[in-house]
Amino acid sequence: MPGESFYIATPIFYVNDVPHIGHAYTEVAADVLARWHRQRGEDTWLLTGTDEHGQKILRTAVANNTTPHDWADKLVESAWKPLLETIDIANDDFIRTTDARHEEGVTLFLQRLYDDGFIYAGEYEGYYCVGCEEYKQPSELVEGTGEYAGQLVDLIHGRPVEILKERNYFFRMSDFAERLLDLYESQPDFIQPESVRNEIVQFVKQGLDDLSISRSSFDWGIKIPWDDSHVVYVWFEALLNYITAIGYGVDDEQFERRWPAVQLVGKDIARFHAVIWPAMLMAAGLPVPRKVFGHGWLLVGGEKMSKSKLTGIAPSQITDTFGSDAFRYYFLRAISFGQDGSFSWEDLSARYQAELANGFGNLASRVIAMVLRYRNGVVPEAGDLELQDSAIRNAAETATQLADGAIDRMAIHEAIAAVWQLVDELNGYITEQEPWTLAKDPAKAARLDTVLATAVHGLGALAVLLAPVLPKATAKLWTALGGTGSPADQPIHRAYEWAGSGRVSALESGLFPRIEIEETEGSVA
């Protein structure tokens, strides 16, 4: 609530390729949560960034006849930072693992763990997946088919693994199994959703091995401070971005202000964030994250979104036709947050037309047009409220409370559904009250005033509540409603108490222009 700190971090994304809508889904979810908490008046910080070290990046760069640093620079500037603009992300920071601040923080952290006896030298041999940058257990591998027949392949990427034997440095992760299980039991909501939590708990109950945290077979990474013939294992280093970005070891005041964070990740990397990461923090004597939420996958044709499997869809393929607001709305409304969800152009187009264009957009246009036509743009004072009028005002308060509560549970889809109930009730209210009929009878002028005032009040509450999800459309609507500042400035937990100037102005063009389905399929499929 107001005055509290809320720090939310997305995973940092590999720069071996350009982003697809699976990456954008994570970014949008984190952004909506951050915007909501900002509107509560909380001290909010949203971090995202890129993961630029490791064998996978090195091989990608070599394959493209360049250096890994030049490859990372190119991808960050041409693809990953532009993604944030494409889908309207209001991040507070963007960290790259090649940043000097990150390398400095990683070096300090490693040295601390080494000095305290949590890191030792040893030898390891196992199946290594370059795509995951992770050693795999036999249970995580299957026999390949087709071109990979006769080879063991990784379940996630479907690519052959390599047998890797190295003298490495190890983190004593096995020491933390009981402490982790105690954490999961004492804080049942530390890992969400429940399906991910259950999987993690069962994994840790089987016992933990020590973790190999260095590589000597290649040199693209941060050097081990006491042995520069080794670089830090990319995952061990990358996880530290969440604290190096907020001043770990350098700016204690900033670090204390921000940490701990809510970690929003895809479920396939929840184990790193809910097992390895808190164990690392425990070893360093630091607080564990506030929460780890492993959301589901976006599926295309029944498979996880993937560039390597040619199922990746660029976000701009959607935003170029439907706009960034529709992109943001669709993925958070159509998919129960935390579960897998299937994407289809048909469902996107149908929801755009029915819910955004016909539902919310048409509601806004009708209400403002009627105030302009019947009252010359002056929002009238409401007279005596009838049951239907009181029901709408109560619905605005109920939607606010339900949505705010859903956000606390990370149930973004439920928050939007609660707000959309108000959209539907307002549309029904206008259809039932027929202000266009009331306007024909001078004796019903007072009743018309009440209906228009009630509709405008409900519409303003919607502008405030939907600002985190539809920032462009709600800003446009807010201006037409005579609101001061922007809807994002309004306290979202009291959205139903908003007040405007008392005048509306024309809503230039619709909030969501109609798009013909035939045209959509021809232009973006």
mmCIF file of all heavy atoms in Angstrom, residues 193-211:
data_model
loop_
_atom_site.group_PDB
_atom_site.id
_atom_site.type_symbol
_atom_site.label_atom_id
_atom_site.label_comp_id
_atom_site.label_asym_id
_atom_site.label_seq_id
_atom_site.Cartn_x
_atom_site.Cartn_y
_atom_site.Cartn_z
ATOM 1 N N PRO A 193 2.757 -20.184 -9.224
ATOM 2 C CA PRO A 193 1.533 -20.736 -8.649
ATOM 3 C C PRO A 193 1.792 -22.073 -7.962
ATOM 4 O O PRO A 193 2.928 -22.565 -7.933
ATOM 5 C CB PRO A 193 0.623 -20.893 -9.873
ATOM 6 C CG PRO A 193 1.562 -21.113 -11.002
ATOM 7 C CD PRO A 193 2.772 -20.266 -10.694
ATOM 8 N N GLU A 194 0.730 -22.679 -7.446
ATOM 9 C CA GLU A 194 0.843 -23.900 -6.656
ATOM 10 C C GLU A 194 1.503 -25.037 -7.429
ATOM 11 O O GLU A 194 2.288 -25.814 -6.867
ATOM 12 C CB GLU A 194 -0.550 -24.332 -6.183
ATOM 13 C CG GLU A 194 -0.538 -25.414 -5.125
ATOM 14 C CD GLU A 194 -0.021 -24.949 -3.762
ATOM 15 O OE1 GLU A 194 0.060 -23.720 -3.537
ATOM 16 O OE2 GLU A 194 0.314 -25.816 -2.945
ATOM 17 N N SER A 195 1.208 -25.141 -8.723
ATOM 18 C CA SER A 195 1.778 -26.226 -9.526
ATOM 19 C C SER A 195 3.294 -26.128 -9.584
ATOM 20 O O SER A 195 4.002 -27.142 -9.493
ATOM 21 C CB SER A 195 1.199 -26.191 -10.947
ATOM 22 O OG SER A 195 1.437 -24.922 -11.559
ATOM 23 N N VAL A 196 3.814 -24.908 -9.715
ATOM 24 C CA VAL A 196 5.270 -24.706 -9.742
ATOM 25 C C VAL A 196 5.848 -24.958 -8.357
ATOM 26 O O VAL A 196 6.908 -25.582 -8.213
ATOM 27 C CB VAL A 196 5.615 -23.290 -10.243
ATOM 28 C CG1 VAL A 196 7.118 -23.035 -10.162
ATOM 29 C CG2 VAL A 196 5.122 -23.094 -11.674
ATOM 30 N N ARG A 197 5.151 -24.500 -7.330
ATOM 31 C CA ARG A 197 5.624 -24.703 -5.966
ATOM 32 C C ARG A 197 5.773 -26.195 -5.669
ATOM 33 O O ARG A 197 6.795 -26.633 -5.117
ATOM 34 C CB ARG A 197 4.640 -24.073 -4.964
ATOM 35 C CG ARG A 197 5.063 -24.256 -3.507
ATOM 36 C CD ARG A 197 4.030 -23.694 -2.531
ATOM 37 N NE ARG A 197 4.530 -23.760 -1.173
ATOM 38 C CZ ARG A 197 4.458 -24.840 -0.386
ATOM 39 N NH1 ARG A 197 3.897 -25.950 -0.853
ATOM 40 N NH2 ARG A 197 4.936 -24.808 0.837
ATOM 41 N N ASN A 198 4.765 -26.971 -6.019
ATOM 42 C CA ASN A 198 4.811 -28.411 -5.745
ATOM 43 C C ASN A 198 5.991 -29.083 -6.445
ATOM 44 O O ASN A 198 6.669 -29.951 -5.875
ATOM 45 C CB ASN A 198 3.502 -29.074 -6.186
ATOM 46 C CG ASN A 198 2.323 -28.646 -5.323
ATOM 47 O OD1 ASN A 198 2.505 -28.181 -4.197
ATOM 48 N ND2 ASN A 198 1.110 -28.794 -5.838
ATOM 49 N N GLU A 199 6.235 -28.679 -7.677
ATOM 50 C CA GLU A 199 7.346 -29.246 -8.437
ATOM 51 C C GLU A 199 8.680 -28.918 -7.787
ATOM 52 O O GLU A 199 9.561 -29.780 -7.659
ATOM 53 C CB GLU A 199 7.306 -28.701 -9.871
ATOM 54 C CG GLU A 199 8.408 -29.230 -10.765
ATOM 55 C CD GLU A 199 8.379 -28.591 -12.147
ATOM 56 O OE1 GLU A 199 7.273 -28.364 -12.673
ATOM 57 O OE2 GLU A 199 9.457 -28.315 -12.685
ATOM 58 N N ILE A 200 8.846 -27.685 -7.350
ATOM 59 C CA ILE A 200 10.101 -27.257 -6.720
ATOM 60 C C ILE A 200 10.313 -27.986 -5.393
ATOM 61 O O ILE A 200 11.418 -28.457 -5.095
ATOM 62 C CB ILE A 200 10.099 -25.731 -6.494
ATOM 63 C CG1 ILE A 200 10.028 -24.971 -7.822
ATOM 64 C CG2 ILE A 200 11.317 -25.310 -5.679
ATOM 65 C CD1 ILE A 200 11.218 -25.119 -8.715
ATOM 66 N N VAL A 201 9.261 -28.060 -4.586
ATOM 67 C CA VAL A 201 9.391 -28.731 -3.285
ATOM 68 C C VAL A 201 9.813 -30.181 -3.471
ATOM 69 O O VAL A 201 10.712 -30.683 -2.771
ATOM 70 C CB VAL A 201 8.065 -28.643 -2.497
ATOM 71 C CG1 VAL A 201 8.112 -29.542 -1.272
ATOM 72 C CG2 VAL A 201 7.783 -27.198 -2.078
ATOM 73 N N GLN A 202 9.196 -30.889 -4.418
ATOM 74 C CA GLN A 202 9.555 -32.285 -4.654
ATOM 75 C C GLN A 202 10.995 -32.414 -5.144
ATOM 76 O O GLN A 202 11.708 -33.343 -4.768
ATOM 77 C CB GLN A 202 8.598 -32.913 -5.679
ATOM 78 C CG GLN A 202 7.198 -33.127 -5.139
ATOM 79 C CD GLN A 202 7.180 -33.920 -3.826
ATOM 80 O OE1 GLN A 202 7.811 -34.974 -3.716
ATOM 81 N NE2 GLN A 202 6.484 -33.391 -2.832
ATOM 82 N N PHE A 203 11.420 -31.475 -5.967
ATOM 83 C CA PHE A 203 12.798 -31.495 -6.468
ATOM 84 C C PHE A 203 13.797 -31.373 -5.320
ATOM 85 O O PHE A 203 14.778 -32.130 -5.236
ATOM 86 C CB PHE A 203 12.990 -30.355 -7.474
ATOM 87 C CG PHE A 203 14.399 -30.190 -7.953
ATOM 88 C CD1 PHE A 203 14.941 -31.041 -8.903
ATOM 89 C CD2 PHE A 203 15.207 -29.171 -7.440
ATOM 90 C CE1 PHE A 203 16.253 -30.888 -9.343
ATOM 91 C CE2 PHE A 203 16.517 -29.010 -7.864
ATOM 92 C CZ PHE A 203 17.041 -29.866 -8.822
ATOM 93 N N VAL A 204 13.560 -30.427 -4.421
ATOM 94 C CA VAL A 204 14.504 -30.198 -3.321
ATOM 95 C C VAL A 204 14.459 -31.344 -2.317
ATOM 96 O O VAL A 204 15.487 -31.714 -1.732
ATOM 97 C CB VAL A 204 14.218 -28.844 -2.643
ATOM 98 C CG1 VAL A 204 15.143 -28.638 -1.436
ATOM 99 C CG2 VAL A 204 14.406 -27.705 -3.636
ATOM 100 N N LYS A 205 13.293 -31.947 -2.129
ATOM 101 C CA LYS A 205 13.176 -33.066 -1.190
ATOM 102 C C LYS A 205 14.033 -34.263 -1.620
ATOM 103 O O LYS A 205 14.426 -35.082 -0.780
ATOM 104 C CB LYS A 205 11.718 -33.500 -1.063
ATOM 105 C CG LYS A 205 10.895 -32.616 -0.131
ATOM 106 C CD LYS A 205 9.478 -33.152 0.031
ATOM 107 C CE LYS A 205 8.704 -32.322 1.048
ATOM 108 N NZ LYS A 205 7.300 -32.829 1.208
ATOM 109 N N GLN A 206 14.342 -34.361 -2.893
ATOM 110 C CA GLN A 206 15.181 -35.456 -3.390
ATOM 111 C C GLN A 206 16.656 -35.231 -3.071
ATOM 112 O O GLN A 206 17.493 -36.097 -3.318
ATOM 113 C CB GLN A 206 15.003 -35.591 -4.901
ATOM 114 C CG GLN A 206 13.603 -36.030 -5.317
ATOM 115 C CD GLN A 206 13.384 -35.926 -6.811
ATOM 116 O OE1 GLN A 206 14.333 -35.771 -7.577
ATOM 117 N NE2 GLN A 206 12.131 -36.010 -7.237
ATOM 118 N N GLY A 207 16.962 -34.071 -2.506
ATOM 119 C CA GLY A 207 18.343 -33.746 -2.177
ATOM 120 C C GLY A 207 18.981 -32.895 -3.258
ATOM 121 O O GLY A 207 18.591 -32.958 -4.428
ATOM 122 N N LEU A 208 19.926 -32.074 -2.881
ATOM 123 C CA LEU A 208 20.593 -31.171 -3.808
ATOM 124 C C LEU A 208 22.068 -31.536 -3.952
ATOM 125 O O LEU A 208 22.735 -31.849 -2.957
ATOM 126 C CB LEU A 208 20.475 -29.721 -3.334
ATOM 127 C CG LEU A 208 19.073 -29.131 -3.267
ATOM 128 C CD1 LEU A 208 19.133 -27.708 -2.694
ATOM 129 C CD2 LEU A 208 18.406 -29.121 -4.636
ATOM 130 N N ASP A 209 22.557 -31.485 -5.174
ATOM 131 C CA ASP A 209 23.993 -31.627 -5.420
ATOM 132 C C ASP A 209 24.653 -30.266 -5.372
ATOM 133 O O ASP A 209 24.005 -29.225 -5.575
ATOM 134 C CB ASP A 209 24.233 -32.244 -6.806
ATOM 135 C CG ASP A 209 23.713 -33.667 -6.906
ATOM 136 O OD1 ASP A 209 23.749 -34.388 -5.887
ATOM 137 O OD2 ASP A 209 23.259 -34.047 -8.013
ATOM 138 N N ASP A 210 25.954 -30.266 -5.114
ATOM 139 C CA ASP A 210 26.682 -29.006 -5.226
ATOM 140 C C ASP A 210 26.673 -28.566 -6.689
ATOM 141 O O ASP A 210 26.587 -29.390 -7.607
ATOM 142 C CB ASP A 210 28.109 -29.171 -4.714
ATOM 143 C CG ASP A 210 28.153 -29.324 -3.200
ATOM 144 O OD1 ASP A 210 27.125 -29.054 -2.553
ATOM 145 O OD2 ASP A 210 29.202 -29.735 -2.675
ATOM 146 N N LEU A 211 26.769 -27.260 -6.899
ATOM 147 C CA LEU A 211 26.598 -26.682 -8.232
ATOM 148 C C LEU A 211 27.926 -26.232 -8.820
ATOM 149 O O LEU A 211 28.659 -25.450 -8.197
ATOM 150 C CB LEU A 211 25.644 -25.482 -8.138
ATOM 151 C CG LEU A 211 25.365 -24.718 -9.431
ATOM 152 C CD1 LEU A 211 24.532 -25.574 -10.378
ATOM 153 C CD2 LEU A 211 24.645 -23.409 -9.130
#
